[in-house]
Amino acid sequence: SSIIHDKYKQWYQRRVRALESLVDSLGEVTPVHGCFYELSAKYYKVKGDYNNFYRDSLRYLGCINLDELTAKQQQEHAFHIALSALLGDKVYNFGELLAHPLLDALKVACPWIVELLLAFNRGDMDKLEELQPQWTQQPDLARNEVALKQKCALLGLMELTFTRASASRSVSFGEVAAAVKLPVEEVELLVMKAISLNLVQGSIDECERVVNLTWVQPRVLDLTQIAEMNRRIGEWSAAVEKTVEEVEGKIPELLCN
């Protein structure tokens, strides 16, 4: 029976991939897209593929009107998508889900998982620890406790890189350790993993015990992160204006010389 089951899974997987190619070839979004992404998401849910379930669930939501779902269906969809976002080892962008109105269905029914998503989006290890009594009651999350803490630390490193000005992205091991709540001796491995996953780019200076961060993977930003970016753009604009004034003030001197 195991052999028959495996053959059926392989057959279903081939059909899903063939249909995906066909749907992708369509020029515009049609009712077929919603049906396919719903089917595909259900397949990946049964398979336990968190990454593809998250991707196709969001695609499905983009093809339908939420009013088509009952309140219970909205809660179920929101909960399972939230779980896949947390458990997917390739999901490091929570902004699209956090901005989706579907998440409102959980704010009363299951507020702790919304808070957990927000904590992960900020890489907030303190909030993760605070919410641990709630999320460890969920079997899938409890089984993946170590992976979840590492993922939150990686997101914390991304947030640290994002919030630092480009001119001050040389960060000591101690600063990284304080930001992600890890021992200093684990910082190097964390940064190496983040670089290998293409979450950040940079280099590690082992002699000086400094991480030089040059790039962070783009993400959909929440309002707090947008406000931070706006502040930094204001600082950059002010710095440019100051430089222009300094150059203009030296023009007569340069002409004389």
Side-chain angles (χ1 to χ4, degrees), residues 31-236:
V32 173
H33 285 79
C35 294
F36 168 73
Y37 290 133
E38 181 182 20
L39 173 68
S40 181
K42 287 179 178 178
Y43 164 69
Y44 288 123
K45 180 182 176 182
V46 172
K47 189 180 177 183
D49 186 334
Y50 301 116
N51 299 310
N52 284 317
F53 173 77
Y54 180 73
R55 180 199 65 188
D56 283 354
S57 292
L58 289 180
R59 288 177 172 179
Y60 167 64
L61 292 175
C63 297
I64 66 166
N65 188 323
L66 275 185
D67 294 338
E68 298 173 21
L69 303 176
T70 66
K72 184 178 180 181
Q73 287 175 324
Q74 289 185 30
Q75 288 179 10
E76 290 176 351
H77 275 292
F79 186 77
H80 287 115
I81 295 172
L83 278 184
S84 67
L86 295 167
L87 294 168
D89 60 3
K90 295 179 182 178
V91 180
Y92 290 89
N93 188 346
F94 293 76
E96 187 176 354
L97 175 59
L98 289 170
H100 201 285
L102 178 73
L103 214 59
D104 292 339
L106 287 180
K107 289 180 178 177
V108 175
C110 194
W112 65 264
I113 200 166
V114 179
E115 292 183 52
L116 190 60
L117 285 170
L118 290 167
F120 267 75
N121 193 53
R122 297 188 301 267
D124 188 341
M125 296 293 289
D126 288 332
K127 192 66 176 179
L128 177 66
E129 293 293 334
E130 180 186 323
L131 292 169
Q132 187 160 345
Q134 287 97 326
W135 61 261
T136 49
Q137 297 300 309
Q138 207 289 323
D140 293 321
L141 296 178
R143 278 196 301 269
N144 290 276
E145 180 177 344
V146 174
L148 285 169
K149 289 183 176 180
Q150 184 183 64
K151 181 172 180 174
C152 192
L154 287 166
L155 284 157
L157 179 63
M158 292 178 71
E159 187 69 9
L160 176 65
T161 309
F162 172 76
T163 54
R164 303 276 294 210
S166 58
S168 60
R169 285 186 176 172
S170 290
V171 191
S172 70
F173 282 19
E175 288 178 280
V176 175
V180 299
K181 303 297 186 293
L182 285 178
V184 175
E185 57 269 21
E186 294 183 20
V187 166
E188 189 173 354
L189 286 175
L190 179 76
V191 176
M192 289 171 63
K193 185 171 182 64
I195 292 173
S196 71
L197 292 172
N198 202 36
L199 301 178
V200 299
Q201 291 178 4
S203 60
I204 301 172
D205 187 331
E206 295 183 19
C207 295
E208 297 294 330
R209 297 179 68 77
V210 167
V211 181
N212 299 302
L213 301 166
T214 58
W215 176 87
V216 61
Q217 186 184 98
R219 295 186 291 165
V220 177
L221 305 180
D222 61 23
L223 292 177
T224 303
Q225 292 166 326
I226 291 172
E228 172 63 20
M229 179 171 281
N230 183 58
R231 182 189 65 79
R232 288 167 53 194
I233 290 173
E235 290 179 352
W236 174 81

